[in-house]
Amino acid sequence: MLIEPASCQVDLAAGTMGGASGRYRKRLSDLAGLYLDADAHHDLVTRTGDAVVYDVADFRPSAAAGDMIFGLTRMSPGLVGEEFFLTRGHIHAKADRPEIYYGQAGQGLMQLESPEGETRIVEIGPQTICYVPPFWIHRSINTGEGEFVMMFAYPADAGQDYGIIERSGGMRHRVLRGEGHGWRLAENAAYRPRTRADVQALMGAAA
């Protein structure tokens, strides 16, 4: 049976996508443990009434291999201590699956980490396409002063493994506020490199 074509209308001013089949949001309290300054995080949760950090709306025609999921992420601007608002981050459960992000509004970046712990940064603004290759852990970060809105698309059977970052004590680098409106990378002292066996298991998962 053929799946029917569909369209979803993006409201850029509101950072929303109509016609979505699923939606979720993450508040500051949902991201406990991700930030270096736990006291600043706790204080911000209290002062803002547990503000929303990001909203996601997606369209999932099916979970079949060969199909595609797409959607929209809207991230609020903000800092926890010196760290910008961020998403939980993940690698795909089927680690050989890629993903595309397309900047719609605001300024931010994609922080990527290889299984071996190499860091890559892709800055994203309006009409910037970011390609996340297979096997890369990735996280979105709002480095701007306004909302950061991106479209995304990935294979429908990819899945997400959110625990990979937690198991390593976070990503190898933290993205902190830099000079002026810039950003900088700092080593994460809690980071635990993956073992050779862990890396081989990830890289061989699609074999």
Side-chain angles (χ1 to χ4, degrees), residues 51-73:
V52 174
V53 176
Y54 59 98
D55 293 280
V56 177
D58 60 23
F59 185 80
R60 298 174 177 249
S62 79
D67 211 335
M68 185 173 65
I69 293 169
F70 65 87
L72 199 76
T73 298

PDB file of all heavy atoms in Angstrom, residues 51-73:
ATOM      1  N   ALA A  51      11.527  26.888  32.827  1.00  0.00           N
ATOM      2  CA  ALA A  51      11.302  27.338  31.457  1.00  0.00           C
ATOM      3  C   ALA A  51      11.524  26.222  30.439  1.00  0.00           C
ATOM      4  O   ALA A  51      12.306  25.297  30.658  1.00  0.00           O
ATOM      5  CB  ALA A  51      12.246  28.508  31.140  1.00  0.00           C
ATOM      6  N   VAL A  52      10.824  26.340  29.306  1.00  0.00           N
ATOM      7  CA  VAL A  52      11.007  25.422  28.188  1.00  0.00           C
ATOM      8  C   VAL A  52      12.314  25.767  27.479  1.00  0.00           C
ATOM      9  O   VAL A  52      12.554  26.918  27.122  1.00  0.00           O
ATOM     10  CB  VAL A  52       9.835  25.510  27.197  1.00  0.00           C
ATOM     11  CG1 VAL A  52      10.106  24.655  25.958  1.00  0.00           C
ATOM     12  CG2 VAL A  52       8.531  25.084  27.871  1.00  0.00           C
ATOM     13  N   VAL A  53      13.176  24.773  27.279  1.00  0.00           N
ATOM     14  CA  VAL A  53      14.434  24.972  26.561  1.00  0.00           C
ATOM     15  C   VAL A  53      14.234  24.717  25.073  1.00  0.00           C
ATOM     16  O   VAL A  53      14.727  25.480  24.242  1.00  0.00           O
ATOM     17  CB  VAL A  53      15.546  24.067  27.132  1.00  0.00           C
ATOM     18  CG1 VAL A  53      16.834  24.195  26.325  1.00  0.00           C
ATOM     19  CG2 VAL A  53      15.802  24.404  28.596  1.00  0.00           C
ATOM     20  N   TYR A  54      13.514  23.636  24.732  1.00  0.00           N
ATOM     21  CA  TYR A  54      13.248  23.396  23.315  1.00  0.00           C
ATOM     22  C   TYR A  54      11.978  22.599  23.105  1.00  0.00           C
ATOM     23  O   TYR A  54      11.559  21.816  23.954  1.00  0.00           O
ATOM     24  CB  TYR A  54      14.429  22.720  22.609  1.00  0.00           C
ATOM     25  CG  TYR A  54      14.890  21.377  23.146  1.00  0.00           C
ATOM     26  CD1 TYR A  54      14.484  20.182  22.548  1.00  0.00           C
ATOM     27  CD2 TYR A  54      15.777  21.296  24.204  1.00  0.00           C
ATOM     28  CE1 TYR A  54      14.940  18.949  23.000  1.00  0.00           C
ATOM     29  CE2 TYR A  54      16.237  20.072  24.665  1.00  0.00           C
ATOM     30  CZ  TYR A  54      15.820  18.905  24.058  1.00  0.00           C
ATOM     31  OH  TYR A  54      16.284  17.679  24.520  1.00  0.00           O
ATOM     32  N   ASP A  55      11.353  22.863  21.938  1.00  0.00           N
ATOM     33  CA  ASP A  55      10.156  22.156  21.473  1.00  0.00           C
ATOM     34  C   ASP A  55      10.503  21.435  20.181  1.00  0.00           C
ATOM     35  O   ASP A  55      11.244  21.969  19.354  1.00  0.00           O
ATOM     36  CB  ASP A  55       9.025  23.137  21.149  1.00  0.00           C
ATOM     37  CG  ASP A  55       8.482  23.840  22.367  1.00  0.00           C
ATOM     38  OD1 ASP A  55       7.679  23.223  23.069  1.00  0.00           O
ATOM     39  OD2 ASP A  55       8.855  25.009  22.585  1.00  0.00           O
ATOM     40  N   VAL A  56       9.947  20.258  20.010  1.00  0.00           N
ATOM     41  CA  VAL A  56      10.136  19.492  18.776  1.00  0.00           C
ATOM     42  C   VAL A  56       8.771  19.042  18.256  1.00  0.00           C
ATOM     43  O   VAL A  56       7.959  18.506  19.011  1.00  0.00           O
ATOM     44  CB  VAL A  56      11.039  18.258  19.008  1.00  0.00           C
ATOM     45  CG1 VAL A  56      11.165  17.443  17.723  1.00  0.00           C
ATOM     46  CG2 VAL A  56      12.416  18.674  19.507  1.00  0.00           C
ATOM     47  N   ALA A  57       8.534  19.284  16.969  1.00  0.00           N
ATOM     48  CA  ALA A  57       7.354  18.746  16.286  1.00  0.00           C
ATOM     49  C   ALA A  57       7.856  17.921  15.116  1.00  0.00           C
ATOM     50  O   ALA A  57       8.759  18.348  14.393  1.00  0.00           O
ATOM     51  CB  ALA A  57       6.451  19.870  15.794  1.00  0.00           C
ATOM     52  N   ASP A  58       7.307  16.719  14.936  1.00  0.00           N
ATOM     53  CA  ASP A  58       7.781  15.896  13.822  1.00  0.00           C
ATOM     54  C   ASP A  58       6.630  15.223  13.092  1.00  0.00           C
ATOM     55  O   ASP A  58       5.501  15.169  13.567  1.00  0.00           O
ATOM     56  CB  ASP A  58       8.815  14.854  14.278  1.00  0.00           C
ATOM     57  CG  ASP A  58       8.283  13.878  15.312  1.00  0.00           C
ATOM     58  OD1 ASP A  58       7.050  13.680  15.397  1.00  0.00           O
ATOM     59  OD2 ASP A  58       9.094  13.298  16.061  1.00  0.00           O
ATOM     60  N   PHE A  59       6.948  14.755  11.909  1.00  0.00           N
ATOM     61  CA  PHE A  59       5.992  14.036  11.063  1.00  0.00           C
ATOM     62  C   PHE A  59       6.602  12.679  10.749  1.00  0.00           C
ATOM     63  O   PHE A  59       7.709  12.601  10.199  1.00  0.00           O
ATOM     64  CB  PHE A  59       5.721  14.816   9.770  1.00  0.00           C
ATOM     65  CG  PHE A  59       4.657  14.198   8.905  1.00  0.00           C
ATOM     66  CD1 PHE A  59       3.318  14.402   9.197  1.00  0.00           C
ATOM     67  CD2 PHE A  59       4.989  13.421   7.813  1.00  0.00           C
ATOM     68  CE1 PHE A  59       2.321  13.826   8.401  1.00  0.00           C
ATOM     69  CE2 PHE A  59       4.001  12.848   7.019  1.00  0.00           C
ATOM     70  CZ  PHE A  59       2.672  13.047   7.316  1.00  0.00           C
ATOM     71  N   ARG A  60       5.888  11.615  11.132  1.00  0.00           N
ATOM     72  CA  ARG A  60       6.404  10.253  10.998  1.00  0.00           C
ATOM     73  C   ARG A  60       5.443   9.432  10.140  1.00  0.00           C
ATOM     74  O   ARG A  60       4.500   8.829  10.662  1.00  0.00           O
ATOM     75  CB  ARG A  60       6.553   9.601  12.370  1.00  0.00           C
ATOM     76  CG  ARG A  60       7.548  10.318  13.273  1.00  0.00           C
ATOM     77  CD  ARG A  60       7.572   9.745  14.692  1.00  0.00           C
ATOM     78  NE  ARG A  60       8.577  10.408  15.500  1.00  0.00           N
ATOM     79  CZ  ARG A  60       9.693   9.837  15.932  1.00  0.00           C
ATOM     80  NH1 ARG A  60       9.932   8.561  15.654  1.00  0.00           N
ATOM     81  NH2 ARG A  60      10.562  10.521  16.660  1.00  0.00           N
ATOM     82  N   PRO A  61       5.670   9.374   8.829  1.00  0.00           N
ATOM     83  CA  PRO A  61       4.776   8.596   7.960  1.00  0.00           C
ATOM     84  C   PRO A  61       4.744   7.121   8.332  1.00  0.00           C
ATOM     85  O   PRO A  61       3.698   6.483   8.312  1.00  0.00           O
ATOM     86  CB  PRO A  61       5.369   8.799   6.571  1.00  0.00           C
ATOM     87  CG  PRO A  61       6.214  10.023   6.682  1.00  0.00           C
ATOM     88  CD  PRO A  61       6.726  10.037   8.078  1.00  0.00           C
ATOM     89  N   SER A  62       5.928   6.553   8.657  1.00  0.00           N
ATOM     90  CA  SER A  62       6.023   5.162   9.084  1.00  0.00           C
ATOM     91  C   SER A  62       7.407   4.967   9.686  1.00  0.00           C
ATOM     92  O   SER A  62       8.253   5.855   9.638  1.00  0.00           O
ATOM     93  CB  SER A  62       5.826   4.199   7.908  1.00  0.00           C
ATOM     94  OG  SER A  62       7.017   4.109   7.129  1.00  0.00           O
ATOM     95  N   ALA A  63       7.630   3.790  10.267  1.00  0.00           N
ATOM     96  CA  ALA A  63       8.938   3.454  10.823  1.00  0.00           C
ATOM     97  C   ALA A  63       9.723   2.530   9.897  1.00  0.00           C
ATOM     98  O   ALA A  63      10.745   1.960  10.287  1.00  0.00           O
ATOM     99  CB  ALA A  63       8.770   2.802  12.194  1.00  0.00           C
ATOM    100  N   ALA A  64       9.255   2.384   8.667  1.00  0.00           N
ATOM    101  CA  ALA A  64       9.859   1.438   7.734  1.00  0.00           C
ATOM    102  C   ALA A  64      11.196   1.932   7.209  1.00  0.00           C
ATOM    103  O   ALA A  64      11.399   3.123   6.985  1.00  0.00           O
ATOM    104  CB  ALA A  64       8.900   1.201   6.562  1.00  0.00           C
ATOM    105  N   ALA A  65      12.106   0.996   7.005  1.00  0.00           N
ATOM    106  CA  ALA A  65      13.371   1.319   6.355  1.00  0.00           C
ATOM    107  C   ALA A  65      13.068   1.900   4.968  1.00  0.00           C
ATOM    108  O   ALA A  65      12.215   1.385   4.242  1.00  0.00           O
ATOM    109  CB  ALA A  65      14.239   0.078   6.229  1.00  0.00           C
ATOM    110  N   GLY A  66      13.730   2.968   4.608  1.00  0.00           N
ATOM    111  CA  GLY A  66      13.473   3.628   3.340  1.00  0.00           C
ATOM    112  C   GLY A  66      12.533   4.803   3.454  1.00  0.00           C
ATOM    113  O   GLY A  66      12.455   5.627   2.538  1.00  0.00           O
ATOM    114  N   ASP A  67      11.822   4.926   4.584  1.00  0.00           N
ATOM    115  CA  ASP A  67      10.977   6.088   4.808  1.00  0.00           C
ATOM    116  C   ASP A  67      11.789   7.153   5.550  1.00  0.00           C
ATOM    117  O   ASP A  67      12.953   6.938   5.885  1.00  0.00           O
ATOM    118  CB  ASP A  67       9.732   5.705   5.613  1.00  0.00           C
ATOM    119  CG  ASP A  67       8.524   6.562   5.248  1.00  0.00           C
ATOM    120  OD1 ASP A  67       8.727   7.697   4.777  1.00  0.00           O
ATOM    121  OD2 ASP A  67       7.389   6.096   5.442  1.00  0.00           O
ATOM    122  N   MET A  68      11.169   8.290   5.812  1.00  0.00           N
ATOM    123  CA  MET A  68      11.895   9.411   6.392  1.00  0.00           C
ATOM    124  C   MET A  68      11.030  10.147   7.401  1.00  0.00           C
ATOM    125  O   MET A  68       9.833  10.351   7.188  1.00  0.00           O
ATOM    126  CB  MET A  68      12.340  10.366   5.292  1.00  0.00           C
ATOM    127  CG  MET A  68      13.210  11.517   5.766  1.00  0.00           C
ATOM    128  SD  MET A  68      13.870  12.480   4.372  1.00  0.00           S
ATOM    129  CE  MET A  68      12.349  13.157   3.691  1.00  0.00           C
ATOM    130  N   ILE A  69      11.627  10.524   8.515  1.00  0.00           N
ATOM    131  CA  ILE A  69      10.993  11.371   9.517  1.00  0.00           C
ATOM    132  C   ILE A  69      11.549  12.783   9.350  1.00  0.00           C
ATOM    133  O   ILE A  69      12.746  12.961   9.124  1.00  0.00           O
ATOM    134  CB  ILE A  69      11.285  10.847  10.930  1.00  0.00           C
ATOM    135  CG1 ILE A  69      10.595   9.484  11.153  1.00  0.00           C
ATOM    136  CG2 ILE A  69      10.838  11.849  12.000  1.00  0.00           C
ATOM    137  CD1 ILE A  69      11.035   8.773  12.405  1.00  0.00           C
ATOM    138  N   PHE A  70      10.667  13.792   9.448  1.00  0.00           N
ATOM    139  CA  PHE A  70      11.150  15.161   9.400  1.00  0.00           C
ATOM    140  C   PHE A  70      10.408  15.989  10.428  1.00  0.00           C
ATOM    141  O   PHE A  70       9.352  15.585  10.940  1.00  0.00           O
ATOM    142  CB  PHE A  70      11.013  15.762   7.996  1.00  0.00           C
ATOM    143  CG  PHE A  70       9.591  15.932   7.523  1.00  0.00           C
ATOM    144  CD1 PHE A  70       8.868  17.073   7.813  1.00  0.00           C
ATOM    145  CD2 PHE A  70       8.983  14.930   6.769  1.00  0.00           C
ATOM    146  CE1 PHE A  70       7.563  17.231   7.365  1.00  0.00           C
ATOM    147  CE2 PHE A  70       7.675  15.077   6.314  1.00  0.00           C
ATOM    148  CZ  PHE A  70       6.964  16.233   6.616  1.00  0.00           C
ATOM    149  N   GLY A  71      10.962  17.150  10.746  1.00  0.00           N
ATOM    150  CA  GLY A  71      10.309  17.977  11.745  1.00  0.00           C
ATOM    151  C   GLY A  71      11.011  19.296  11.974  1.00  0.00           C
ATOM    152  O   GLY A  71      11.890  19.701  11.219  1.00  0.00           O
ATOM    153  N   LEU A  72      10.615  19.956  13.056  1.00  0.00           N
ATOM    154  CA  LEU A  72      11.112  21.275  13.387  1.00  0.00           C
ATOM    155  C   LEU A  72      11.470  21.329  14.866  1.00  0.00           C
ATOM    156  O   LEU A  72      10.707  20.873  15.721  1.00  0.00           O
ATOM    157  CB  LEU A  72      10.043  22.330  13.079  1.00  0.00           C
ATOM    158  CG  LEU A  72      10.529  23.766  12.930  1.00  0.00           C
ATOM    159  CD1 LEU A  72      11.215  23.948  11.575  1.00  0.00           C
ATOM    160  CD2 LEU A  72       9.366  24.739  13.057  1.00  0.00           C
ATOM    161  N   THR A  73      12.648  21.896  15.165  1.00  0.00           N
ATOM    162  CA  THR A  73      13.080  22.141  16.539  1.00  0.00           C
ATOM    163  C   THR A  73      13.140  23.638  16.783  1.00  0.00           C
ATOM    164  O   THR A  73      13.709  24.378  15.980  1.00  0.00           O
ATOM    165  CB  THR A  73      14.476  21.543  16.799  1.00  0.00           C
ATOM    166  OG1 THR A  73      14.428  20.133  16.619  1.00  0.00           O
ATOM    167  CG2 THR A  73      14.937  21.843  18.216  1.00  0.00           C
TER     168      THR A  73
END
